[in-house]
Amino acid sequence: MDLESIFEIDRVAEFISARAFRRVALQFPDELLKDSTRIVAALHEKLRLFDQLRTGNNGDAKDVRLYVMADTMYGNCCVDEVGASHANADCVIHYGHTCFSPTSTLPAFLVLGKASLNVSKCAQKLCEYTGKAGKRILVLYGLEYAHAITEIKASISTQSCFKLEVCFADIMSPVITPPETLSTTNGQPELSDHQCANGCSTEKNNAPYRIGGLTWSLPVGHRMEDYLLFYVGSDDSAFANILMTYNACEIVRYDATKDLLVDDFSQQKRILKRRYFLIEKAKDASIIGILVGTLGVAGYLHMIHQMKDLITRAGKKAYTFVMGRPNPAKLANFPECDVFIYVSCAQTALLDSKEFLAPVITPFEAMIAFGRDSEWTGAYVTEFRDLITSSPMEVKKQSEARFSFIQGGYVEDFEQQEVEDVEDGVSALVNITEKALRVRDEDSQTLMRGTAKSGAEYFATRSYHGLDIHPENNFPEPFLIGKSGRASGYKNETTQ
């Protein structure tokens, strides 16, 4: 495929010309920067032709300025509205892998690209696995293979091995309009199509499933657990998002580059056990850091405020950090934080924090950890915008100690009134610090309390405070003359 077909030069130029945008930001991931100059030249030529057809003059499209953006502040999958605002851009053209997160202020057009796929081999693998699956099939795919789905549906329609129903997910519109100018449902663009791509029967009252730019509906009475998920694509963040969200479903992945089926995801599903362990660690945390992982996804501010309110009502201290992409070195500058909450898009939310000093959890995990008497049923939510719509979790008054699986004993959490007392003055700070360090071990049922409740308390109770200076000795020590010369032979050393 040529450049114009892969990067949809015609559709992008039509999007810019039809809306009369004059300053356009082109966002590229690192692997596509080598093609940016050719794409800009092709866009300029196509915009000139569109202007000539519209006005009848030999226009040169110089009034449309294109700005190439690279090295985004956060994940490459999200539209970088902050970078585009530096150029006062009217819109953003996003190239490469995307999470389809809605923007806050700028319209965007998503160019997904077109990866090569052997349609006949893919249909054959789907046919072979369907024969032994014995259940309905739902086909999901990476967005780079969306261009070949029509051919796959046409190929399997001629084969007789498909005795059960096979549904294909539809792809959402590549045009993203900010929620302020679009009819939305909780910050998500409403879709006009509520039909399965292959025409399977659905009802309008069925809420469509949406994940990573894909959408589909199931017939009345059907559940996701009734379907086998056949995923066409590579083992990337998009597939990890599907694997975590639909962890109760049977899943098989077709690797188009190696032409093989992968159905063993035991290693990936161990991640769920790891996430449950992090939730238990977060329950014992006293100081929580909220990491801002996006500045463009619609609703991120609402989620940050919701997390602050949840943490405060749980009797804990919250700090907010904006630092771009987190790494162990950055977070090590804040040792007072026992755990961090990463507010970002669904495909970058699962941050592997094994090398970090403190664990990094998602907003969904925070709601389980800080909501008293809440339990994890196995369902997992990676999209924080789905949590905004849910009813706020009640944090009940701590009337009794809870058992900590991490510390191996009962832990009495601080009351919210104690947290407010910390802010009153130095005397209250001293009292609460002494109370925080109290440990009672009178019997086998150990009762412990959390340690510091704020950054100030943490630094006040540190065992190391720098160099030990003795103020009673006001006289300086006498100066001593050291050795001189080279290390191979100082001047005061005798030579052989």
Side-chain angles (χ1 to χ4, degrees):
M1 290 183 286
D2 58 356
L3 181 92
E4 293 196 1
S5 175
I6 295 176
F7 298 105
E8 304 182 59
I9 301 298
D10 287 342
R11 294 186 65 186
V12 173
E14 183 180 359
F15 171 79
I16 297 173
S17 179
R19 290 163 176 78
F21 293 134
R22 289 295 173 261
R23 303 175 68 90
V24 181
L26 309 180
Q27 180 180 341
F28 292 92
D30 295 340
E31 61 271 16
L32 294 181
L33 276 178
K34 63 182 183 299
D35 301 318
S36 60
T37 55
R38 293 192 298 158
I39 293 174
V40 169
L43 276 177
H44 270 302
E45 178 63 22
K46 190 63 65 173
L47 288 171
R48 185 189 65 81
L49 294 177
F50 280 0
D51 184 70
Q52 183 178 353
L53 291 175
R54 186 177 67 254
T55 62
N57 300 326
N58 292 327
D60 56 1
K62 286 185 177 180
D63 54 339
V64 179
R65 307 194 65 177
L66 304 179
Y67 299 87
V68 175
M69 295 194 305
D71 192 20
T72 58
M73 182 181 297
Y74 298 103
N76 290 328
C77 60
C78 299
V79 176
D80 188 6
E81 293 187 78
V82 176
S85 63
H86 293 165
N88 293 325
D90 302 322
C91 71
V92 179
I93 309 299
H94 182 281
Y95 291 89
H97 176 71
T98 178
C99 56
F100 265 83
S101 296
T103 57
S104 299
T105 57
L106 292 178
F109 187 92
L110 307 179
V111 181
L112 309 177
K114 298 178 181 179
S116 60
L117 175 68
N118 192 317
V119 175
S120 59
K121 290 184 177 180
C122 179
Q124 181 181 359
K125 293 290 185 181
L126 179 58
C127 179
E128 293 174 359
Y129 204 85
T130 303
K132 58 183 180 180
K135 59 194 309 185
R136 301 179 181 88
I137 306 294
L138 174 62
V139 179
L140 308 178
Y141 44 88
L143 301 178
E144 65 273 18
Y145 298 107
H147 65 97
I149 296 303
T150 303
E151 299 180 22
I152 295 177
K153 289 189 289 185
S155 177
I156 66 173
S157 63
T158 60
Q159 302 184 27
S160 59
C161 60
F162 295 96
K163 299 179 182 179
L164 297 176
E165 183 181 26
V166 179
C167 288
F168 286 79
D170 287 321
I171 191 169
M172 297 172 64
S173 171
V175 178
I176 296 182
T177 306
E180 293 82 2
T181 59
L182 180 68
S183 176
T184 60
T185 302
N186 301 312
Q188 299 189 14
E190 292 184 353
L191 300 177
S192 58
D193 187 8
H194 296 281
Q195 299 290 329
C196 288
N198 67 333
C200 57
S201 59
T202 59
E203 297 292 337
K204 289 185 178 180
N205 57 359
N206 274 9
Y209 294 87
R210 299 170 185 170
I211 186 169
L214 301 178
T215 178
W216 67 93
S217 296
L218 301 181
V220 176
H222 289 200
R223 304 177 304 156
M224 284 296 300
E225 291 76 11
D226 301 331
Y227 286 78
L228 181 144
L229 304 185
F230 188 92
Y231 184 83
V232 181
S234 57
D235 186 8
D236 53 9
S237 59
F239 177 68
N241 186 23
I242 292 175
L243 198 64
M244 291 290 289
T245 304
Y246 302 109
N247 56 77
C249 298
E250 182 181 356
I251 302 177
V252 61
R253 181 177 66 87
Y254 173 70
D255 194 328
T257 58
K258 299 179 181 179
D259 186 31
L260 55 85
L261 291 177
V262 181
D263 56 1
D264 183 15
F265 303 112
S266 57
Q267 180 66 28
Q268 288 88 338
K269 290 194 174 183
R270 288 195 189 100
I271 300 177
L272 285 172
K273 298 180 181 179
R274 166 73 179 172
R275 308 311 298 190
Y276 181 77
F277 168 73
L278 296 182
I279 290 176
E280 293 299 322
K281 289 197 70 174
K283 290 180 180 179
D284 294 340
S286 299
I287 304 176
I288 317 297
I290 302 176
L291 299 177
V292 181
T294 177
L295 294 176
V297 177
Y300 81 96
L301 279 177
H302 189 107
M303 175 51 61
I304 292 175
H305 293 315
Q306 184 172 330
M307 287 293 101
K308 285 183 179 180
D309 184 60
L310 176 68
I311 294 170
T312 303
R313 287 187 288 115
K316 305 176 185 295
K317 183 68 175 179
Y319 294 97
T320 304
F321 303 98
V322 181
M323 60 177 66
R325 301 180 186 180
N327 57 48
K330 289 181 180 179
L331 298 188
N333 293 316
F334 309 99
E336 65 272 21
C337 292
D338 302 315
V339 68
F340 293 93
I341 303 174
Y342 193 37
V343 179
S344 66
C345 73
Q347 296 188 13
T348 58
L350 295 176
L351 193 64
D352 187 5
S353 58
K354 290 182 179 179
E355 298 181 358
F356 291 71
L357 295 179
V360 182
I361 64 176
T362 65
F364 170 74
E365 294 164 350
M367 296 182 74
I368 297 178
F370 304 140
R372 193 64 179 260
D373 299 330
S374 60
E375 297 181 357
W376 189 8
T377 61
Y380 200 87
V381 179
T382 56
E383 184 61 72
F384 72 79
R385 286 175 292 124
D386 294 338
L387 303 176
I388 296 177
T389 62
S390 61
S391 57
M393 300 182 64
E394 295 183 0
V395 180
K396 300 179 181 179
K397 186 176 181 180
Q398 314 297 338
S399 58
E400 59 182 13
R402 61 175 178 83
F403 185 82
S404 171
F405 291 97
I406 303 299
Q407 301 186 27
Y410 286 93
V411 176
E412 183 180 0
D413 292 322
F414 282 92
E415 299 281 340
Q416 177 61 26
Q417 183 63 36
E418 294 177 338
V419 180
E420 295 175 354
D421 291 342
V422 177
E423 309 295 338
D424 291 343
V426 178
S427 59
L429 176 61
V430 174
N431 293 334
I432 198 67
T433 303
E434 293 177 353
K435 190 183 295 184
L437 297 175
R438 185 181 63 197
V439 177
R440 189 173 71 227
D441 192 5
E442 298 175 351
D443 51 20
S444 59
Q445 297 291 340
T446 304
L447 182 65
M448 297 164 288
R449 297 183 70 100
T451 54
K453 292 299 296 180
S454 67
E457 290 183 37
Y458 174 83
F459 289 107
T461 57
R462 292 179 69 173
S463 60
Y464 177 73
H465 295 279
L467 298 177
D468 190 9
I469 301 177
H470 302 284
E472 64 277 2
N473 186 8
N474 297 326
F475 298 98
E477 295 292 336
F479 291 101
L480 299 178
I481 300 177
K483 297 180 179 180
S484 61
R486 296 184 178 181
S488 58
Y490 292 104
K491 291 182 178 180
N492 60 340
E493 294 179 347
T494 58
T495 59
Q496 299 295 334

